């Protein structure tokens, strides 16, 4: 097939599927066709093309795309059209991937459920029990677009689980990389300089949030991560990992929030499947995870949110952002620095107890029904943020994490696990994930 044929088929599928799912909020029709024609012309001339030539991809509407509207799900940026790509988008395009659309996100990515006042709700393409469900968030639009076949692969962002939780909800593979492996620039809100969006390392958003790839299979995910990895960091192919040299731990959660019994069972079964192939498999017994989720909350509450306020007064944003802004309290700098010092201690403690790989739940629940924000888990009612405690703990401690689907719930929904590695050792997580999926498929 020609690149143009591939794009036309995906555009047709978007026309059919997107009106119901509301996953893609801006379709880049003409620029996608032009890019496809350019690739076909290069092939006809016998020129070399990139590793992703002709592959349609989507991008979360939080990430800058040159010439294509980028709203961050906010009415304050409803007409914003960046002139410069985020570096991650530029790398995808340089390898021949074709941007086909931007995907829905809660305003500034500040929710685990994909809804905003500008575009409304995004639906999960999976509803085996006939109930309309959320694809999670905040990369929920991205997950819905890929899982429904409207795009092949895509770029999301991950702060407290925002590529991992949607992958779990929709049966996809995703990775939260080590901070810095993929350039974080280009994410809203950020520091505006020379028409570029730069991250502010003095904020949690700038230092914790990462851009992460999402795909329907692990091979595509691995290829994307290799393409997106900054050249100054050495890429290690997961195919070369010796699993029998890995010390692996597993846990039923971060230790303070209940997790659905069927999700705990999926994590335990994944550990059992891997046990015969790795050097050792033991339950995780450290204390760092039990303290990390609470630290995430306290660090978040110490933020001033000035990065959001640069776009207008608090009254100009949706109710979720208004609530976040109203909760801001002045925090003395010494107190804020003490929180970061606490993070360093917990991070060191986790590194000393996690082994090479740590297997955890992604969340306490499977994909929730649209509109629900409180969830009964083993007799305890959780908010969506509490349900993401295991993901938030890994985020604040700065570990890379790969999510793969490993089981199906009683209601027919996918269950993913996150396979966490030490910083810069995504290859170990990818190798363990590949074995886990092979064992699952058997």
């Amino acid at each position: 097939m020609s690149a143009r044929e591939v794009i036309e088929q995906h555009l047709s599928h978007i026309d059919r599927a997107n009106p119901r799912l509301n996953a893609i909020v801006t379709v880049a029709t003409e620029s996608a066709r032009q890019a496809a024609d350019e690739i076909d012309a290069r092939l006809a001339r016998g020129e070399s093309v990139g590793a992703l030539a002709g592959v349609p991809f989507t991008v979360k509407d939080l990430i800058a795309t040159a010439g294509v509207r980028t709203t961050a799900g906010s009415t304050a940026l409803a007409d914003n059209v960046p002139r410069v790509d985020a570096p991650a988008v530029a790398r995808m395009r340089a390898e021949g991937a074709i941007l086909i659309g931007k995907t829905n996100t809660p305003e500034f990515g500040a929710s685990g459920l994909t809804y905003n006042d500008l575009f409304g709700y995004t639906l999960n393409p999976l509803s085996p029990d006939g109930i309309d469900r959320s694809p999670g968030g905040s990369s929920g639009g991205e997950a819905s677009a890929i899982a429904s076949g409207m795009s092949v692969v895509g770029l999301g962002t991950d702060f407290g689980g925002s590529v991992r939780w949607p992958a779990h909800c929709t049966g996809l593979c995703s990775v939260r990389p080590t901070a810095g492996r993929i350039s974080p620039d280009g994410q809203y809100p950020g520091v505006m300089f020379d028409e570029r969006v730069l991250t502010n390392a003095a904020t949690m958003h700038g230092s914790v949030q990462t851009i992460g790839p999402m795909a329907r299979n692990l091979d595509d995910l691995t290829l994307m991560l290799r393409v997106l990895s900054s050249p100054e960091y050495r890429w290690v192919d997961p195919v070369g990992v010796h699993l029998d040299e890995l010390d692996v731990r597993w846990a039923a959660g971060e230790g303070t929030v209940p997790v659905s019994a069927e999700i705990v069972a999926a994590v335990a079964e994944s550990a059992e499947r891997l046990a015969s192939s790795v050097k050792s498999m033991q339950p995780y017994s450290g204390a760092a995870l039990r303290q990390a989720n609470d630290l995430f909350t306290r660090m978040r509450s110490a933020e001033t949110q000035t990065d959001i306020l640069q776009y207008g007064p608090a009254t100009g944003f949706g109710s979720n952002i208004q609530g976040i802004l109203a909760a801001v309290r002045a925090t003395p700098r010494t107190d804020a620095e003490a929180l970061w010092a606490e993070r360093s201690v917990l991070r060191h403690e986790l590194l000393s107890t996690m082994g090479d790989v740590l297997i955890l739940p992604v969340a306490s629940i499977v994909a929730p029904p649209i509109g629900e924000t409180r969830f009964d888990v083993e007799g305890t009612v959780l908010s969506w943020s509490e349900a993401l405690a295991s993901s938030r703990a890994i985020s604040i401690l700065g570990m890379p994490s790969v999510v793969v689907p490993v089981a199906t719930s009683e209601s027919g929904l996918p269950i993913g696990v996150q396979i966490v590695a030490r910083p810069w050792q995504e290859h170990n997580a990818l190798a363990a994930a590949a074995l886990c999926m092979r064992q699952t498929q058997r």
Side-chain angles (χ1 to χ4, degrees):
M1 295 179 69
S2 67
R4 180 62 178 265
E5 287 173 321
V6 171
I7 289 300
E8 292 298 340
Q9 287 196 6
H10 281 79
L11 288 172
S12 294
H13 186 48
I14 290 170
D15 287 342
R16 293 190 299 271
N18 200 53
R20 176 178 177 272
L21 298 177
N22 191 34
I24 299 179
V25 295
T26 301
V27 184
T29 305
E30 293 311 314
S31 60
R33 286 171 171 160
Q34 181 180 354
D37 290 343
E38 290 173 356
I39 287 172
D40 288 334
R42 289 173 61 190
L43 288 169
R45 294 192 295 267
E47 298 177 5
S48 61
V49 291
L52 297 172
V55 175
F57 78 108
T58 40
V59 173
K60 183 178 183 178
D61 205 26
L62 210 66
I63 303 172
T65 45
V68 181
R69 182 176 64 163
T70 303
T71 73
S74 179
T75 55
L77 291 168
D79 300 316
N80 176 53
V81 180
R83 296 185 64 180
V84 179
D85 276 331
V89 175
R91 291 186 73 85
M92 292 288 288
R93 294 204 214 232
E95 290 292 337
I98 298 174
L99 177 65
I100 203 167
K102 302 298 293 293
T103 54
N104 203 18
T105 175
E107 190 170 19
F108 294 112
S111 174
L113 304 171
T114 300
Y115 166 84
N116 59 60
D117 292 343
L118 190 58
F119 300 115
Y121 283 100
T122 291
L123 297 187
N124 192 326
L126 306 180
S127 55
D129 51 6
I131 298 173
D132 284 341
R133 294 182 177 270
S134 171
S138 61
S139 305
E142 196 58 44
S144 181
I146 297 169
S148 64
M150 289 191 283
S151 68
V152 177
V153 293
L155 298 178
T157 67
D158 192 293
F159 183 57
S162 290
V163 298
R164 290 166 288 165
W165 161 234
H168 163 75
C169 288
T170 58
L172 298 180
C173 301
S174 70
V175 58
R176 172 194 168 84
T178 305
R181 178 173 289 283
I182 298 173
S183 171
D185 290 339
Q187 300 180 70
Y188 289 87
V191 180
M192 302 305 301
F193 172 75
D194 193 25
E195 299 188 4
R196 300 174 185 273
V197 187
L198 307 178
T199 52
N200 183 352
T203 67
M204 272 187 74
H205 179 267
S207 57
V208 173
Q209 182 154 297
T210 66
I211 290 176
M214 306 177 74
R216 287 193 292 270
N217 65 70
L218 198 58
D219 286 342
D220 287 352
L221 186 76
T222 303
L223 173 59
M224 284 187 72
L225 186 60
R226 177 174 66 78
V227 164
L228 293 165
S229 291
S230 298
E232 58 265 33
Y233 300 112
R234 184 171 68 94
W235 172 256
V236 178
D237 194 327
V239 172
V241 171
H242 295 285
L243 289 164
D244 59 359
E245 297 178 358
L246 296 183
D247 288 319
V248 183
R249 308 286 186 270
W250 72 277
E254 43 75 65
T256 66
V257 173
V259 177
S260 165
E262 59 185 353
I263 293 176
V264 172
V267 173
E269 289 167 8
S270 296
E272 185 178 349
R273 294 188 197 111
L274 291 176
S276 62
S277 300
V278 299
K279 180 179 178 180
S280 70
M281 175 68 70
Q282 303 173 38
Y284 171 76
S285 59
L289 291 179
R290 290 196 298 274
Q291 301 173 56
N293 180 50
D294 176 65
L295 177 63
F296 184 105
T297 300
R298 287 185 286 126
M299 291 183 72
R300 183 65 166 156
S301 67
E303 295 280 285
T304 63
Q305 309 301 331
T306 53
D307 51 353
I308 292 177
L309 286 169
Q310 69 180 300
Y311 300 110
T315 54
F317 302 111
S319 58
N320 185 51
I321 295 297
Q322 286 190 35
I324 291 173
L325 295 174
V328 170
R329 298 290 182 270
T331 301
R333 180 166 180 172
T334 53
D335 292 350
E337 290 176 353
L339 291 173
W340 284 98
E342 185 178 343
R343 175 187 184 264
S344 295
V345 171
L346 290 182
R347 178 181 165 92
H348 180 78
E349 197 279 333
L350 179 65
L351 287 169
S352 68
T353 55
M354 66 172 283
D356 299 304
V357 170
L358 173 62
I359 304 172
L360 284 171
V362 176
S364 294
I365 58 174
V366 294
I370 286 289
E372 289 192 13
T373 59
R374 308 288 290 179
F375 315 102
D376 188 312
V377 180
E378 307 300 321
T380 300
V381 177
L382 304 178
S383 66
W384 65 261
S385 58
E386 290 169 329
L388 297 182
S390 292
S391 285
R392 285 155 56 100
I394 294 305
S395 290
I396 200 62
L397 297 179
M399 303 297 151
S401 175
V402 174
V403 168
V404 290
V406 297
T408 303
S409 72
E410 289 185 4
S411 57
L413 292 163
I415 296 175
V417 296
Q418 57 172 330
I419 300 177
V420 180
R422 302 172 75 83
W424 309 108
Q425 295 184 14
E426 287 88 346
H427 51 281
N428 285 336
L430 289 165
L435 178 60
C436 192
M437 291 191 75
R438 286 199 299 272
Q439 298 282 25
T440 301
Q441 290 161 358
R442 289 176 187 170

